[in-house]
Amino acid sequence: MELRPLGRTGVHVSKMCLGTMMFGDWGTKDHDESIKVIHRALDAGINFVDTADVYSQGESEEIVGKALAGRRDDVVLATKFFMPFDDDPQHRGGSRRWIMKSVENSLRRLGTDYLDLYQIHRWDPTVDLDETLGALTDLVRAGKVRYIGHSTYPPSTIVEAQWVSERRGRERFVTEQPPYNILVRNIENEVLPVAQRYGMGVIPYSPLAGGWLSGRYRKDSQDGPMSPARQRLANRFDLSLPENQRKLAAVEQLSQLADDAGLTLIQLALAFVLRHPAITAPIIGPRTMEHLESQLAAADVVLADDVLDRIDAIVPPGVTINPAENGWVSPALDATARRR
């Protein structure tokens, strides 16, 4: 599989990254089956694996650790922190206190003494960026972390974080992990240009829009999401909502376009993300071996310009059909936050 530079780090990663949210209680509960999927991905040339402490409350990290036994040095291993790990209010966020505890927990579960990429899962405007960057810098200097990144940061905060790193002598964030797919294109407006300006790697999650671009959700579909992880996101999957009805209409058109191009919908969706010059590696998130094989089939697909033009006619550049999927919403625009 083609390798691409991870920003300006000098590290090269496969053009697809294996996401592991679906391994464990949130998806495939059988550890042996999950490990088989991970091994197949590695054998196919994927050398980039992404997980998070919150995925099945650490179980995903434990599965990844088992799968990488004896193969750790061949893999660029990434995990994340920040999301509430349990009911303890101290076990979440971007504070030095939690970062120092969560990294040790992740290292133990993953069975490794270092992380290639340690990412903060979301931005929290209540935590000083220098607080977070100071703790992460100490982890890099201690050899426990090689590089640091963030996920779903708004463009203004990406710029501010780079400024804080320069002015305070901190390690800088070298990657951003945003949501991105044909139905969710908001990051084309500012996030991707900003990331390019700072030489950052971009490793987008949900390139299949949580199953919408796999063909699972069609106009005649009666079933909702199968996995507990997806069931928590009702506003993105409730087929009665007008914005999701618009997604259904777009998926019908995209399915026809894929047929016309001699591709599966999955191949069309992944090839679209892979084609953008600012993208390093989309994160695929298979739950089963069948899912993985269908996604690996897109690795060598290159979309012609006329196909890209037809995609733009269905979902214009920079547009997200259901704004709930943009990943981050300014508190100033959040009606719930305004009422608090």
Side-chain angles (χ1 to χ4, degrees):
M1 185 175 293
E2 175 192 346
L3 297 181
R4 294 178 170 181
L6 185 63
R8 293 200 291 256
T9 63
V11 174
H12 286 75
V13 297
S14 51
K15 66 190 295 186
M16 287 183 174
C17 175
L18 179 66
T20 64
M21 187 175 75
M22 292 291 101
F23 301 146
D25 188 59
W26 289 5
T28 300
K29 296 177 173 58
D30 188 317
H31 286 206
D32 290 338
E33 285 301 311
S34 297
I35 290 170
K36 288 178 183 177
V37 174
I38 295 171
H39 285 171
R40 170 66 182 119
L42 299 182
D43 292 341
I46 289 179
N47 75 342
F48 194 11
V49 177
D50 177 79
T51 186
D53 60 359
V54 74
Y55 295 165
S56 298
Q57 263 52 54
E59 188 181 2
S60 172
E61 288 186 326
E62 292 174 355
I63 293 169
V64 171
K66 294 176 186 177
L68 296 186
R71 306 181 72 165
R72 172 66 184 91
D73 290 343
D74 299 326
V75 172
V76 177
L77 178 59
T79 192
K80 299 180 289 291
F81 69 95
F82 178 84
M83 297 297 194
F85 193 81
D86 52 33
D87 293 335
D88 189 329
Q90 304 286 13
H91 294 171
R92 64 191 69 182
S95 70
R96 170 178 289 271
R97 188 179 193 275
W98 177 235
I99 290 171
M100 294 304 181
K101 183 176 181 62
S102 64
V103 73
E104 296 296 342
N105 291 339
S106 288
L107 290 170
R108 172 178 47 78
R109 287 189 292 261
L110 288 163
T112 185
D113 57 3
Y114 73 97
L115 301 168
D116 293 290
L117 179 64
Y118 198 38
Q119 305 156 98
I120 182 167
H121 216 146
R122 290 292 186 273
W123 176 53
D124 182 353
T126 68
V127 178
D128 193 320
L129 276 170
D130 190 53
E131 164 90 1
T132 299
L133 280 166
L136 293 173
T137 296
D138 288 346
L139 293 180
V140 172
R141 293 175 182 173
K144 295 183 178 183
V145 171
R146 299 293 188 257
Y147 302 99
I148 60 173
H150 46 57
S151 177
T152 321
Y153 264 35
S156 60
T157 307
I158 296 174
V159 174
E160 183 182 359
Q162 294 288 322
W163 181 89
V164 170
S165 294
E166 180 180 345
R167 294 294 296 269
R168 303 285 179 84
R170 306 300 195 189
E171 290 291 320
R172 75 180 193 93
F173 290 119
V174 300
T175 59
E176 158 64 4
Q177 186 181 135
Y180 185 51
N181 55 67
I182 297 176
L183 306 177
V184 180
R185 301 184 61 175
N186 177 263
I187 66 168
E188 293 172 345
N189 295 312
E190 290 188 279
V191 170
L192 291 183
V194 168
Q196 285 183 299
R197 187 182 313 154
Y198 286 104
M200 301 177 72
V202 179
I203 47 177
Y205 67 87
S206 200
L208 297 180
W212 283 87
L213 295 173
S214 71
R216 172 166 174 72
Y217 304 101
R218 306 297 289 268
K219 285 191 173 181
D220 57 353
S221 173
Q222 300 297 318
D223 297 329
M226 294 178 61
S227 73
R230 302 300 184 206
Q231 291 168 359
R232 300 177 187 196
L233 305 172
N235 59 346
R236 305 183 194 182
F237 295 96
D238 184 344
L239 302 186
S240 68
L241 296 177
E243 50 269 42
N244 291 333
Q245 286 290 314
R246 291 193 291 271
K247 284 163 59 177
L248 286 173
V251 168
E252 292 298 319
Q253 297 178 70
L254 291 167
S255 296
Q256 183 60 57
L257 173 54
D259 287 342
D260 294 345
L263 301 170
T264 66
L265 181 57
I266 288 173
Q267 289 174 314
L268 179 79
L270 288 172
F272 168 82
V273 177
L274 283 163
R275 179 69 188 270
H276 198 291
I279 299 299
T280 305
I283 299 173
I284 59 173
R287 183 171 53 83
T288 66
M289 191 70 76
E290 180 183 5
H291 291 167
L292 175 64
E293 296 294 350
S294 68
Q295 294 168 38
L296 288 175
D300 297 322
V301 174
V302 178
L303 299 183
D305 289 344
D306 65 310
V307 175
L308 292 172
D309 289 342
R310 289 181 64 184
I311 291 174
D312 288 348
I314 297 169
V315 182
V319 170
T320 294
I321 295 178
N322 182 349
E325 297 180 89
N326 277 331
W328 182 83
V329 178
S330 168
L333 302 177
D334 186 336
T336 301
R338 287 201 304 270
R339 289 195 296 266
R340 291 174 182 168

